[in-house]
Amino acid sequence: MGFVLTEEQQILRSSAGEYFNDRLPVSALRQLRDTNSERGYDTATWAEMADMGWAGILVPEDHGGVAFGYRGLGEVLEAGGRTLAASPLISTALTAAPLIAALGSESQQASLLQPIAAGETIVALALDEGAKHAPDSISTTAVQKDGAYVINGDKRFIVDGHVADVLIVATRVSDGRAALFLIERARAGVTIRRRSMVDARNCADIGFRDVRVSSADMLGEPGAVQAELERVLDGARAGVAAEMLGAGLEAFERTVAYLKVREQFDVPIGSFQALKHRAALMFCELELTKSAVAAALNALDNNSEDRAALVSLAKAKAGDMLELVTNEAVQLHGGIGMTDEAEIGLFLKRARVQQQLFGDSGFHRARYAGLMGF
Amino acid sequence: MRTPMPEDERVWGGRNPSYKNPDSRVWLERMAAKGWTVPQWPEQYGGAGLSEDEAAILQQEMSRLECRSPLASFGIWMLAPVLLKYGTEAQKQTHLPPIARGEIRWCQGYSEPGAGSDLAGLKTRADDNGDDFVINGQKVWTSYANYADWIFCLVRTDSSVKHGGISFVLFDMTSPGVETRPITLISGASVFCETFFTDVRVPKENLVGELNAGWTIAKELLQHERAMISQIGRTLGGTIPPLDILARSCLGGTDGRIGDPVLRDAVTRHMMNDHAFALTVKRAGEEQEAGMASGGASSMFKYYGTEQNKAKFELMLKCAGAEALGWGGDEFSAGQLDLCRSWLRSKGNSIEGGTSEVQLNVIAKRVLGLPD
């Protein structure tokens, strides 16, 4: 599997681009924000995406999915990134679905995967407990008591936390081993507080107070979930990096277009060499990011040995690139870039949230260094 | 001939060739006899007449067997492609076979003290003198001019028009009036020369292409030069280890990792960028093979690769400290001295072959379409 897309992947890429332009342009996000949308995404378009198979891209075919792989989902996410499209793609299609497919029992897979692929069920992974991604620092406990488990802890900044029907909760059992539990939102002891984020996208804190779960609710076996969870997290990282690539390309292209039309001192400002050079530098960073993201997505589909390093490379590069591009985009749009009326500021806001999802550039540089022995 | 080739064993050929390794002479003669120094050239010019696919197979076999390239040649890499396209039959018959056999060594007369980035501003004059041109002027940065037998040279044949007054001529470096002077760089001895022309007579039959139509040829040749530069960088190895290995060995931590956290982060960033760059080179290659229109990624290679190379040496200096700052003598190892010289030499990478600033201009104009 190389860099050049297969014909099928190319078709998906084109149709995703058209879809998001038509049905979820940037103005759709603005509307969700300005109307204080309760669900934070449009259920009608999510149903359309499910109809096209996008909710089930990582769901096996015998559970109603299309099993098109990470590179394919990456193309959809990149296209959605260009229009800042709000949807449960990241929480449900990208993260929860493959985790359930990998670790779920027959009955868990049967009861969850098909509704996920059909767009009927939203599932969110409740992993992080602080302001920065820290998958090794889980304090939420699952204590065995009377044949059941009792869960206590607080999860923070959970994507789609307030609209998820089911949560996948990361805990530690008494001997410190990691365990995952499937907990529906209405279970006693679960409290959900939505957060209002700068990018107007879904996010919530979720508290667990003496939440009783049975071993039937456990996803996989305690202490035996690490490898799969890591692989799924890598998939989430690469997918978010793909969305960031789309956002970066769009912000960059809008900026270059602006440089060509905005005139000051009787000339287009794009004729100023200093601005040309800054644009060319952004171009270089985007090209590097494109390559890293594609390589990471392929590595996930191929189960390559260097998957983890490539994923961390992609997420780190995407973060650095997008910080540069979104900062430059606002600056090069001048005063207009600072208005809420303009769309370019929305890219800046979304970029910083994407940076924090599943580990920022610093996290991934440290991880890459560890993997390479630096 | 199947072991890695040290720089001083590279074979340039010429009228006065030197072979540090005597096997190199045999290797060149045998490959030249088969036309394999220039496999795709027509046989009448010294080539083997191979198709692109056949030449690829030959290259694959040579790589597989780890064969050295038999001949390094500006004649092959830069002059021949434009001679094949713009030269007369007589010029091709005269010059191509000796190039193929490595019998004539060429240098490139392009840049002048007053014409670097603005190459078209060149002033070396070629005045019409009946059957000859008479050339007066000066070139600079002429690689190996002091070893070259012939020169391909840009000259001004019309002073009233800038780009439209340039011609492309060939002449013998032993012609009366030609003088070369090697240039010492901040990194020490170099292959570059100043080349002076005082009333040098050049037969008009040595004009390639039309009079005053040399700029087109010049630009095309620069593309071949750029391809050559990107190839040549890959073959050099030497005494300097990769960045991460050097960092670990200089800054050894207790856990086998780079001991200084600040430099570890800086090295990690650099290695990650190298990784992403290598993936991008691969991607551009695959896209080109698939017949996709170039997205412009290759325009960034010279810029990015050279800036990375400079940054790499700066990081190596930080890791190695004063041990990387030796100029000579036994107190420094060969690798340490090589590192210092290489750091200095690397400053030229972002200047030669089109400065980084010019590369960014090219990206801005040709890829992004930003206005003049």
Side-chain angles (χ1 to χ4, degrees):
Chain A
M1 203 180 298
F3 286 105
V4 177
L5 293 175
T6 64
E7 207 180 306
E8 280 182 312
Q9 288 168 337
Q10 183 58 52
I11 290 171
L12 179 58
R13 178 184 176 83
S14 304
S15 58
E18 276 171 29
Y19 178 81
F20 285 113
N21 269 329
D22 281 336
R23 300 290 291 136
L24 286 171
V26 176
S27 53
L29 175 70
R30 193 187 285 280
Q31 209 200 13
L32 289 169
R33 182 195 73 174
D34 294 346
T35 57
N36 289 312
S37 159
E38 216 255 289
R39 283 197 76 77
Y41 69 96
D42 173 63
T43 51
T45 47
W46 180 237
E48 287 168 8
M49 289 191 235
D51 274 346
M52 290 190 286
W54 295 358
I57 285 191
L58 297 180
V59 172
E61 282 170 314
D62 53 0
H63 287 288
V66 297
F68 203 63
Y70 277 100
R71 189 80 188 272
L73 184 49
E75 291 300 329
V76 173
L77 287 163
E78 183 185 326
R82 278 185 175 269
T83 67
L84 304 177
S87 80
L89 273 175
I90 288 174
S91 63
T92 302
L94 177 66
T95 312
L99 195 51
I100 295 166
L103 292 171
S105 64
E106 273 308 310
S107 85
Q108 286 168 337
Q109 290 195 44
S111 69
L112 284 170
L113 290 179
Q114 197 275 338
I116 282 176
E120 290 157 9
T121 300
I122 308 296
V123 182
L125 172 65
L127 177 78
D128 284 316
E129 300 175 356
K132 307 256 328 204
H133 179 63
D136 295 333
S137 304
I138 305 297
S139 308
T140 300
T141 53
V143 176
Q144 259 186 305
K145 202 172 171 196
D146 308 327
Y149 288 87
V150 178
I151 296 184
N152 279 284
D154 291 286
K155 297 297 188 184
R156 296 205 166 86
F157 299 103
I158 305 307
V159 174
D160 285 336
H162 85 288
V163 292
D165 303 298
V166 177
L167 301 159
I168 305 176
V169 186
T171 70
R172 286 202 188 286
V173 291
S174 312
D175 57 9
R177 290 179 300 161
L180 300 171
F181 290 92
L182 292 162
I183 304 179
E184 76 283 4
R185 59 181 290 114
R187 186 87 54 115
V190 176
T191 53
I192 301 176
R193 271 195 0 259
R194 188 182 184 184
R195 279 187 181 260
S196 171
M197 300 298 285
V198 71
D199 65 345
R201 298 284 298 273
N202 285 345
C203 193
D205 289 351
I206 307 178
F208 300 87
R209 294 286 169 276
D210 294 332
V211 178
R212 300 186 69 80
V213 295
S214 75
S215 47
D217 298 322
M218 195 179 289
L219 190 63
E221 297 301 313
V225 300
Q226 218 49 44
E228 282 306 326
L229 179 59
E230 176 104 329
R231 190 182 63 82
V232 167
L233 285 175
D234 271 345
R237 290 156 181 158
V240 172
E243 195 190 80
M244 293 166 85
L245 173 62
L249 286 167
E250 182 68 24
F252 176 67
E253 287 165 20
R254 289 177 182 225
T255 303
V256 170
Y258 186 74
L259 292 178
K260 292 176 183 175
V261 302
R262 171 68 176 173
E263 290 193 7
Q264 288 287 263
F265 310 105
D266 303 313
V267 294
I269 61 174
S271 66
F272 301 144
Q273 195 179 74
L275 305 191
K276 285 193 206 185
H277 284 194
R278 283 159 72 174
L281 290 170
M282 284 192 271
F283 173 80
C284 293
E285 291 300 310
L286 281 158
E287 287 298 311
L288 297 181
T289 304
K290 269 189 209 173
S291 314
V293 168
L297 293 167
N298 283 341
L300 283 154
D301 284 334
N302 288 338
N303 232 332
S304 308
E305 239 177 66
D306 56 353
R307 175 208 86 219
L310 286 170
V311 166
S312 281
L313 177 66
K315 186 66 172 46
K317 265 328 274 178
D320 291 345
M321 171 280 292
L322 198 53
E323 179 172 325
L324 172 71
V325 170
T326 49
N327 278 338
E328 287 284 77
V330 169
Q331 176 68 16
L332 293 173
H333 274 84
I336 303 257
M338 284 299 295
T339 67
D340 181 59
E341 187 185 329
E343 292 184 342
I344 204 71
L346 297 171
F347 286 84
L348 175 70
K349 292 173 177 179
R350 176 60 180 159
R352 297 301 177 275
V353 175
Q354 289 165 322
Q355 168 79 293
Q356 291 304 323
L357 294 176
F358 305 110
D360 63 4
S361 299
F363 176 96
H364 284 287
R365 261 195 296 282
R367 185 179 183 230
Y368 186 95
L371 288 165
M372 298 305 215
F374 295 160
Chain B
M1 294 298 102
R2 292 177 60 189
T3 61
M5 176 168 56
E7 192 52 37
D8 59 2
E9 285 188 33
R10 195 186 287 274
V11 172
W12 292 94
R15 288 182 186 133
N16 303 299
S18 67
Y19 298 95
K20 182 146 190 267
N21 181 335
D23 291 339
S24 306
R25 178 199 284 263
V26 179
W27 181 226
L28 170 58
E29 283 168 3
R30 291 194 190 162
M31 288 292 275
K34 292 188 85 76
W36 283 358
T37 54
V38 284
Q40 286 179 262
W41 288 12
E43 283 178 40
Q44 71 203 111
Y45 301 134
L50 299 189
S51 72
E52 207 172 308
D53 287 338
E54 289 169 330
I57 293 170
L58 175 62
Q59 185 52 53
Q60 269 171 44
E61 276 305 292
M62 285 180 64
S63 296
R64 193 180 64 80
L65 296 167
E66 297 180 315
C67 298
R68 295 185 182 187
S69 171
L71 180 63
S73 167
F74 292 156
I76 294 176
W77 299 330
M78 292 195 280
L79 176 61
V82 302
L83 207 51
L84 283 162
K85 185 169 174 182
Y86 297 98
T88 62
E89 194 51 44
Q91 287 167 340
K92 293 182 207 178
Q93 297 281 8
T94 302
H95 297 295
L96 292 178
I99 287 174
R101 291 191 298 266
E103 288 166 0
I104 294 292
R105 190 168 168 178
W106 288 79
C107 64
Q108 176 188 33
Y110 266 37
S111 299
E112 298 179 1
S117 292
D118 183 14
L119 180 59
L122 64 93
K123 287 187 159 55
T124 294
R125 261 179 19 253
D127 297 321
D128 191 326
N129 194 32
D131 294 325
D132 298 334
F133 293 112
V134 178
I135 296 183
N136 280 283
Q138 182 193 350
K139 295 295 180 185
V140 74
W141 306 122
T142 343
S143 299
Y144 301 108
N146 51 344
Y147 293 105
D149 305 310
W150 275 67
I151 182 170
F152 52 91
C153 194
L154 296 181
V155 294
R156 181 156 295 286
T157 39
D158 186 338
S159 298
S160 66
V161 187
K162 186 173 178 178
H163 295 80
I166 294 171
S167 296
F168 193 102
V169 297
L170 313 174
F171 56 95
D172 195 318
M173 289 290 281
T174 62
S175 307
V178 177
E179 191 198 328
T180 68
R181 225 180 270 165
I183 299 173
T184 305
L185 298 177
I186 56 178
S187 49
S190 85
V191 303
F192 297 116
C193 296
E194 294 178 283
T195 313
F196 302 90
F197 309 116
T198 312
D199 296 330
V200 179
R201 288 178 176 271
V202 174
K204 279 193 179 167
E205 71 206 25
N206 289 12
L207 173 71
V208 179
E210 298 299 312
L211 188 71
N212 293 320
W215 184 241
T216 307
I217 302 176
K219 281 192 300 182
E220 217 172 293
L221 191 146
L222 283 174
Q223 285 178 30
H224 301 295
E225 181 184 21
R226 231 155 259 162
M228 170 191 87
I229 289 174
S230 63
Q231 285 303 311
I232 233 181
R234 266 171 237 159
T235 56
L236 303 175
T239 54
I240 304 170
L243 173 62
D244 59 312
I245 293 179
L246 186 142
R248 258 197 299 264
S249 110
C250 293
L251 304 165
T254 47
D255 53 358
R257 299 183 62 181
I258 298 170
D260 177 323
V262 171
L263 282 172
R264 183 196 305 144
D265 183 64
V267 168
T268 301
R269 276 175 200 266
H270 193 273
M271 300 295 290
M272 289 173 86
N273 280 330
D274 271 358
H275 195 168
F277 183 59
L279 290 170
T280 304
V281 171
K282 190 160 186 250
R283 175 167 69 85
E286 286 181 23
E287 288 171 358
Q288 193 189 38
E289 252 172 82
M292 287 167 64
S294 165
S298 52
S299 316
M300 63 164 285
F301 290 162
K302 201 261 172 188
Y303 168 77
Y304 201 84
T306 53
E307 294 295 333
Q308 272 295 93
N309 202 40
K310 291 194 307 181
K312 177 190 78 182
F313 283 114
E314 290 293 357
L315 275 173
M316 286 184 167
L317 253 55
K318 288 179 169 76
C319 291
E323 285 181 347
L325 301 175
W327 186 248
D330 294 330
E331 293 77 14
F332 295 97
S333 72
Q336 288 166 348
L337 292 174
D338 197 8
L339 175 53
C340 187
R341 300 295 178 123
S342 298
W343 159 67
L344 288 165
R345 181 62 184 87
S346 76
K347 301 306 183 192
N349 296 157
S350 56
I351 300 170
E352 61 209 340
T355 65
S356 285
E357 290 70 25
V358 164
Q359 299 300 331
L360 292 178
N361 283 352
V362 169
I363 292 171
K365 178 171 177 163
R366 297 210 204 126
V367 180
L368 304 179
L370 288 166
D372 285 327

